[in-house]
Amino acid sequence: MNNIKFSKRVNHGEVSIIREILRLTVDPNVISFAGGLPSPAGFPVQKIKEAYDKVLSENPYMALQYNSADGYIKLREWVVDYMASKGAQIKPSNVLIVSGSQQALDLVSKVFLDEGSKILVEAPSYLGALQCFDQYFPKYETIETDDHGLIPESITESNAKDARFLYALPNFHNPTGRTLSVERRISLLEKCKSLNVPIIEDDPYGELIYHGESLPGLYALSQKHGGTVIRLGSFSKVLSPGMRIGYIVADEKIINALVELKQATDLHTSVITQMAVYETIKDNFLDEHLPKVREIYRNQCNYMLESLEENFKDIDAKWTKPEGGMFIWMTLPPEFNTLDLLTPTIRDYKVAYVPGSAFYVASDPVHVKHNELRLSFVTVAEDKIRKGVEQLAQSIKNAKR
C-alpha cells in the first residue's frame, strides 16, 4: 500500500470542516446548528411514493433503461415552463438535468477551468462550491460584500481580467442568508457584461422565501440587460435532497459543452428519479406544497431570531435576519475566533455551528474573518433551538472572561 500514488487532487485536498463537525456531533446530546439539511417535515413522502409507483407501473422499461445525457425531455420542458413563470424565455435545448446542483458545479468547473484559471467569488461564499472549485486549482479573486451582499462596484477591470466566471448566490445566500437587491443584480449584470465575465447563478434556496416578494433571477434579468448567466437550480430543497436532481440553464453552446462532459462522467442522471420528479411536480404540485414548506422554515427562523434577541442582549454581536432560506450569519467582536471556540462549545455546552472561516478562500487569508459563524435552524425543534442558543451564548460569555 505504501507505493500507491494518488492524484494531485487527492493530495491537495484539505480536511473537510464539515466532516470534522459531523464527527464531533455524533453525540445525540449535541444540538447541531451546523448542518445545511432541509427539514424532513417538508418531504412529500406519499406524493413521491405514488410518483415512483406510477412510473414503474406505466413506463417501467424506459425508467430502467439508459437515456440521453441531457435529461428526461418532459422534466426539461417543465423547467422551460418554470423559467417562463420567472420571466425567462428558454427552450429545452437550454436545459441540462444533473445529479444535484453539486454536480452542476463540478461540470461547470470542468467546462471553464484549467489549472491557474481565475474565478471571482464572494467573501464569504458557499463552502461546497469552494471545495468543488479547489479540485481544478484555480486562482481566486475575492469580491467584497457588505450587509446587503455582493458589491458590484468591487469588480474591476483589474481583478476581472481573464476571469472564467463569477460565482454568486443572489437569494438567501449560503452562509449569510442575505439577498441581493434588484438594483445590485442589474449592476452586477452590467458590470460583468462590460468585462466579459460569465456569471454562475446558484439558486437552490430561491423558492424558500417566507417574507416579502421574490426578486427576478439573474438569468431572467440578463435577457433584458445582457450578459452571460449560467443558472443552477435544484429540487433538493423543494422536494428531497436524496433524489439528487438538479438542472442547469444556459446558452445552447454552453449546454452542449456540459452535456459532452456529463456523458463522460456518468452517462446521464438517474432516469427513474427524473421521471418520478416530473410525475410529482407536473400538475402544479409545488403551488400547493411550497407554502407549507415556507411556513415550516418561517417558524424555525423566528424561533432562532427570538432566542438570539433574548440570549445575546449582553453580548456585542450582530446577526442577519433572512427573508428566506436556511441560515443566519452571526458576527462576534473581533477578538473572538469561532474556530477555536468550536471544540469547547461542542464538548462543554453540547452545541455545534460552522465557523465562518470555512466559507472563505483559504489561499486568500487577507479576507478571512475569524469572528463569524453560521447557524442553521431548519432541522432543530423549537425547544432545542431555544436551549441551543442559550448554551451558545453562555459559551461565548465564558470565553470572553
Side-chain angles (χ1 to χ4, degrees):
M1 292 291 289
N2 291 335
N3 62 352
I4 290 179
K5 298 189 72 173
F6 288 115
S7 72
K8 185 177 178 181
R9 287 190 178 87
V10 174
N11 294 325
H12 170 73
E14 299 178 357
V15 174
S16 166
I17 183 124
I18 299 298
R19 190 172 64 208
E20 290 301 296
I21 288 169
L22 291 175
R23 182 179 63 81
L24 291 168
T25 58
V26 291
D27 183 347
N29 295 314
V30 171
I31 298 172
S32 179
F33 298 139
L37 284 66
S39 173
F43 298 165
V45 177
Q46 184 60 35
K47 184 73 173 178
I48 292 172
K49 181 180 182 299
E50 292 170 0
Y52 273 103
D53 288 345
K54 183 174 181 180
V55 168
L56 286 172
S57 296
E58 296 183 1
N59 208 345
Y61 299 112
M62 181 178 181
L64 299 174
Q65 185 57 279
Y66 288 116
N67 208 301
S68 61
D70 48 4
Y72 181 48
I73 183 59
K74 289 186 177 180
L75 185 56
R76 290 160 58 211
E77 289 171 344
W78 183 93
V79 173
V80 170
D81 292 339
Y82 172 78
M83 291 296 292
S85 74
K86 301 298 181 181
Q89 304 305 313
I90 63 171
K91 299 177 293 185
S93 54
N94 295 119
V95 182
L96 170 63
I97 305 298
V98 291
S99 300
S101 56
Q102 193 66 26
Q103 185 184 54
L105 289 168
D106 185 58
L107 290 174
V108 165
S109 299
K110 286 179 178 177
V111 164
F112 285 98
L113 299 181
D114 298 305
E115 185 170 344
S117 297
K118 182 192 290 188
I119 57 177
L120 310 181
V121 296
E122 302 166 272
S125 189
Y126 171 47
L127 172 59
L130 296 179
Q131 289 176 325
C132 179
F133 300 152
D134 281 346
Q135 303 306 306
Y136 299 90
F137 309 101
K139 175 185 175 184
Y140 290 102
E141 285 283 351
T142 299
I143 302 304
E144 302 288 347
T145 62
D146 60 17
D147 290 342
H148 304 285
L150 182 151
I151 304 172
E153 292 75 20
S154 67
I155 305 169
T156 66
E157 188 172 349
S158 175
N159 62 27
K161 180 177 172 57
D162 297 324
R164 298 296 177 87
F165 59 76
L166 177 146
Y167 173 72
L169 297 101
N171 293 319
F172 320 128
H173 183 273
N174 182 0
T176 67
R178 297 168 181 147
T179 297
L180 206 60
S181 68
V182 173
E183 292 75 19
R184 284 200 180 187
R185 292 174 192 229
I186 293 172
S187 179
L188 175 63
L189 283 167
E190 292 175 343
K191 174 72 73 167
C192 287
K193 177 186 176 183
S194 69
L195 296 171
N196 196 32
V197 178
I199 300 171
I200 309 300
E201 177 190 21
D202 197 358
D203 188 27
Y205 311 107
E207 289 292 355
L208 301 180
I209 183 170
Y210 37 80
H211 293 298
E213 296 182 359
S214 296
L215 300 181
L218 294 175
Y219 189 95
L221 287 170
S222 73
Q223 294 193 327
K224 178 179 179 181
H225 296 277
T228 299
V229 176
I230 299 147
R231 179 180 171 85
L232 314 186
S234 173
F235 294 99
S236 291
K237 307 304 185 297
V238 298
L239 288 182
S240 154
M243 299 181 86
R244 307 309 305 134
I245 300 293
Y247 56 89
I248 304 174
V249 175
D251 179 86
E252 285 186 36
K253 183 177 179 179
I254 296 173
I255 290 293
N256 290 340
L258 290 164
V259 168
E260 182 178 338
L261 293 183
K262 178 172 173 57
Q263 191 166 33
T265 301
D266 65 357
L267 297 183
H268 58 77
T269 296
S270 166
V271 182
I272 187 172
T273 310
Q274 291 184 69
M275 294 175 72
V277 166
Y278 173 71
E279 286 298 328
T280 302
I281 63 177
K282 68 177 183 179
D283 294 322
N284 300 316
F285 171 71
L286 292 181
D287 293 342
E288 167 195 339
H289 174 65
L290 284 173
K292 301 173 186 176
V293 177
R294 292 172 186 137
E295 183 67 17
I296 294 169
Y297 285 38
R298 179 188 299 112
N299 291 338
Q300 297 292 103
C301 183
N302 287 340
Y303 297 148
M304 180 165 279
L305 290 174
E306 290 168 3
S307 299
L308 289 170
E309 292 287 350
E310 180 180 346
N311 290 282
F312 279 75
K313 293 176 181 176
D314 303 325
I315 300 175
D316 183 17
K318 64 178 184 178
W319 51 87
T320 55
K321 297 179 180 179
E323 297 182 338
M326 303 166 57
F327 308 110
I328 290 173
W329 186 245
M330 176 176 282
T331 303
L332 301 177
E335 63 267 24
F336 283 94
N337 185 312
T338 57
L339 181 58
D340 292 344
L341 186 62
L342 178 62
T343 297
T345 300
I346 294 175
R347 182 188 63 225
D348 302 333
Y349 298 90
K350 303 300 182 184
V351 179
Y353 57 82
V354 184
S357 55
F359 300 95
Y360 289 88
V361 174
S363 60
D364 184 18
V366 172
H367 288 91
V368 177
K369 296 180 181 178
H370 298 281
N371 61 323
E372 300 168 321
L373 58 98
R374 189 192 76 177
L375 301 170
S376 180
F377 46 80
V378 172
T379 56
V380 188
E382 178 185 356
D383 60 332
K384 290 191 174 182
I385 286 178
R386 298 189 185 281
K387 180 181 178 181
V389 170
E390 181 182 356
Q391 291 293 93
L392 176 62
Q394 195 60 50
S395 175
I396 293 169
K397 288 177 182 178
N398 288 341
K400 191 175 182 180
R401 291 173 183 169

